[in-house]
Amino acid sequence: MAPNTENLTAVLMKKDDLRMEQRPIPEPKDDEVLLKMGCVGICGSDIHYLVHGSCAGFVVKQPMVIGHEGSGTVAKVGKNVKNVKPGDRVAIEPGVPCRRCEFCVKGEYNLCPNIFFCATPPDNGNLCQYYTHDASFCHKLPDNMSLEEGAMMEPLSVGVHACNQANIKFGDNVLITGCGPIGLVSLLAAKAMGATKVIMTDIVEHRMQIALKAGADAVVDVSKGTIDDHTAQIKSIFGGELPRATLDCTGFEASMRLAINSTKPGGIIVLVGMGCSTDMKLPLTAALSREITIKGVFRYRNCYPTAIAMVSSGKANVKQFITHNFNLDQSLEAFDTARHGKGNPVKVMIHCSK
């Protein structure tokens, strides 16, 4: 019997060449599930691959199914699967590690050198109607969560991991540079973890307004003035003190310089955003002399259960960031909207099942 090919799929052929094509519906392996995809959000990395053909050192060398912020409904399970059953709605954690290397053994599986990660070359993503995934990385959604919220667990997990890296705790003051999607979910995570006051920075007015509506206590416009001016403003808002923790969610040199300048001695800076430049000139002496710890963030680990609990409990409202919705057959239009910022999108969501 010929395979059923009614599986509409978004395929990035190469830079600036995204196409829709029909592919066979895959069969799940023993430890996998077949998912009828529900929702897939468009991430900044997806746009990087489309516009530049690469992102953070990963280069598109062959056609690749795009999409990694996904949720779906279990349609079929492999013979070894016990954690989910047909009909369960799940959030898809897109990274499947080898489980055997030193990083996996230590629980740091996001650093696994052999990890499969959706829509990271050469691995295919999940912007399609049907997709198979390792069942262990499919997280069941509570009844009070939607598939749209399930797809948002991927970016929220980045924010959770960033706050874990910064050891955010009750009573902390936190500075977040950048009011883009990752900055906004980091705001939700920081507040859910007990941060008392969060200040955010940006250069775009409508983004700062979104941050205020989402719970930021104050915003600082860094489009004008000097770094010293911005630091003084941040210190004033925090009542004469600098924050213990700063999350840079931009990846740009100017924001990292501000982070170093605006974090208190003995504090911590977590670099979350990945900018386009690989080499930067930063005032590291200022950080060293004040014993500021600088950490990186690469995706996340063991964060999906926490992210789901945050949303299910009402501690984190991720639906407010879904500004644009498209059907799967409108994926090219959806990517055009995200790429060019039409209508000031925060999160563009593609619905794979009608």
Side-chain angles (χ1 to χ4, degrees), residues 4 6 17 44 85 107 121 189 200 216 243 247:
N4 189 333
E6 295 182 2
D17 187 1
K85 63 184 185 304
M200 299 187 70
L247 311 179

Short mmCIF file of all heavy atoms in Angstrom, two decimals, residues 4 6 17 44 85 107 121 189 200 216 243 247:
data_model
loop_
_atom_site.label_atom_id
_atom_site.label_comp_id
_atom_site.label_asym_id
_atom_site.label_seq_id
_atom_site.Cartn_x
_atom_site.Cartn_y
_atom_site.Cartn_z
N ASN A 4 0.32 7.31 2.78
CA ASN A 4 -0.53 8.50 2.71
C ASN A 4 0.36 9.73 2.67
O ASN A 4 1.16 9.96 3.56
CB ASN A 4 -1.46 8.54 3.94
CG ASN A 4 -2.52 9.63 3.81
OD1 ASN A 4 -2.33 10.63 3.14
ND2 ASN A 4 -3.64 9.41 4.48
N GLU A 6 -0.80 12.91 2.43
CA GLU A 6 -1.52 14.13 2.78
C GLU A 6 -0.96 14.71 4.08
O GLU A 6 -1.58 14.64 5.14
CB GLU A 6 -3.02 13.85 2.89
CG GLU A 6 -3.64 13.45 1.56
CD GLU A 6 -5.13 13.22 1.66
OE1 GLU A 6 -5.69 13.41 2.76
OE2 GLU A 6 -5.74 12.84 0.65
N ASP A 17 13.98 30.78 0.41
CA ASP A 17 13.20 29.85 -0.42
C ASP A 17 12.44 28.87 0.48
O ASP A 17 12.88 27.77 0.75
CB ASP A 17 14.12 29.09 -1.38
CG ASP A 17 13.36 28.24 -2.38
OD1 ASP A 17 12.11 28.24 -2.35
OD2 ASP A 17 14.02 27.56 -3.21
N GLY A 44 12.56 33.58 16.30
CA GLY A 44 13.58 34.40 15.64
C GLY A 44 14.60 33.57 14.89
O GLY A 44 15.11 33.98 13.84
N LYS A 85 -0.91 8.64 25.61
CA LYS A 85 -1.78 7.74 24.85
C LYS A 85 -2.48 8.53 23.76
O LYS A 85 -2.53 9.78 23.82
CB LYS A 85 -2.79 7.07 25.77
CG LYS A 85 -3.75 8.03 26.43
CD LYS A 85 -4.66 7.33 27.41
CE LYS A 85 -5.72 8.27 28.00
NZ LYS A 85 -5.14 9.45 28.64
N GLY A 107 22.80 15.54 33.51
CA GLY A 107 21.53 16.24 33.46
C GLY A 107 21.57 17.51 32.65
O GLY A 107 20.56 18.22 32.55
N PRO A 121 19.68 22.68 11.46
CA PRO A 121 20.34 21.83 10.45
C PRO A 121 21.27 20.81 11.09
O PRO A 121 22.02 21.16 12.00
CB PRO A 121 21.13 22.85 9.61
CG PRO A 121 20.40 24.14 9.80
CD PRO A 121 19.88 24.11 11.21
N ALA A 189 8.63 34.54 33.66
CA ALA A 189 9.31 33.55 34.49
C ALA A 189 9.87 34.19 35.76
O ALA A 189 9.74 33.63 36.85
CB ALA A 189 10.42 32.87 33.71
N MET A 200 12.69 46.66 32.42
CA MET A 200 13.07 46.20 31.09
C MET A 200 13.51 47.39 30.24
O MET A 200 13.07 48.52 30.45
CB MET A 200 11.91 45.47 30.42
CG MET A 200 11.47 44.23 31.19
SD MET A 200 10.23 43.24 30.31
CE MET A 200 11.20 42.55 28.96
N ALA A 216 5.93 44.26 33.67
CA ALA A 216 7.16 44.97 34.01
C ALA A 216 6.84 46.16 34.90
O ALA A 216 5.84 46.86 34.69
CB ALA A 216 7.87 45.44 32.74
N PRO A 243 20.47 46.11 40.34
CA PRO A 243 19.92 44.76 40.49
C PRO A 243 21.01 43.72 40.71
O PRO A 243 22.13 43.87 40.24
CB PRO A 243 19.21 44.53 39.16
CG PRO A 243 19.97 45.36 38.19
CD PRO A 243 20.34 46.60 38.96
N LEU A 247 19.34 39.93 32.90
CA LEU A 247 19.19 39.01 31.77
C LEU A 247 19.27 39.82 30.49
O LEU A 247 18.42 40.70 30.25
CB LEU A 247 17.85 38.28 31.84
CG LEU A 247 17.44 37.62 33.16
CD1 LEU A 247 16.07 36.96 33.02
CD2 LEU A 247 18.47 36.61 33.61
#
